[in-house]
Amino acid sequence: MRFPIPALDDVARSAAAARQAQLTKPAGALGRLEELSLQLAATQGRARPACERARVLIFAADHGVSAQGVSAYPAAVTAQMCANFCAGGGAANVLARQAGAEFELIDVGVAGILAPHPLLVDAKLAPGSEDFTLGPAMTAVTCARALAIGAARARRAADDGVQVLVIGEMGIGNTTSAAALMVAYLGCDVEDACGRGTGIDQAGLERKRMVVRQGLERHRAALGDAEATLAALGGLEIAAMVGAMLQAAALRVTVVVDGFISSAAALAALNLQPALKPFLIWSHVSAERGHRQLLDALDAEPLLALQLRLGEGTGGLLALHLLRAACRTLDAMATFGEAQVSSAAAPPLRTGTPS
């Protein structure tokens, strides 16, 4: 499945840079906020980009590989947490309310039955993916359908006037799939990719590493193809996240990547379509082992480092405040001319011992 990623809008970026140069501040004084505003101008195609209307999409699914004992929590927690989201009790709910962001939970493959709810989109393809140590996590057809579900939610958001999407997830066992995808796409060591996820002990960590090695060995023939790799080792929610990221970028909707699992989905999406990269905003580096190396491999500089390791879009929702600050300062600050402030360059800073 391919999405037409648009070219960066150099005209909009140049106009934004010209305005930045006239704002009442020394050049570059707002640091990365200035860089963000120019990136958003180029990707949104607007000289004055905006991130006011935001939506967090949490894709949820269970993982067959969780039967191998790779998580500290039972698989039933996926459905229980989804019910918690619908009740408004998750960390992502709290942070979405604080940010004034809309909230959407998409059931792509939760094993349990979820009661209908206004926040819930029922798009269940199966009661979870298959155990990738025994066979592919998804068939090629199922993977394509999961991609299409994510794409459909991104299109719906764009049709609703949403300007920025935070991409999150929920699924017991998904750090194992994310680690397997990281090793498959980057060729790094299993030890570097596998972390403690939900808090497994050392024995659990060793078991998780063994499970990832087994999956990589079983699906060695698929690893030369980006989509086949995603189907073999990924999860239903991860594939849906990939589709959402690609479709959002195709529609010039800003994409905020969350933590380790969201970043693994972005890695898969970039292997499918490398032109996606400038359309991604990397919200934070998490405490999960492997996340920093994954970001470094992509030359991605996250906005925050708060030792988060929850997922759910929480880091992305926190970063949303910075995106809005970047847009608002560009749009609402006065220029030197408007404020009648001299724009003459300040004298260079003197160094050395005063005379």
Side-chain angles (χ1 to χ4, degrees), residues 64-96:
V65 75
S66 64
Q68 298 291 335
V70 294
S71 174
Y73 289 86
V77 168
T78 302
Q80 292 166 0
M81 277 301 301
C82 286
N84 186 39
F85 289 139
C86 290
N93 297 96
V94 174
L95 294 176

Side-chain angles (χ1 to χ4, degrees), residues 15 47 89 122 163 167 251 258 269 271:
D122 182 1
Q163 298 154 326
I167 307 297
L251 298 173
D258 186 42
N271 273 269

Side-chain angles (χ1 to χ4, degrees), residues 12-25 38 47-48 327-336 338:
R13 189 187 189 284
S14 295
R19 178 168 172 78
Q20 280 284 6
Q22 294 300 314
L23 299 180
T24 47
K25 58 177 176 58
L38 301 187
R48 296 194 183 187
C327 293
R328 290 179 186 180
T329 50
L330 174 66
D331 182 59
M333 279 183 70
T335 64
F336 285 108
E338 291 166 347

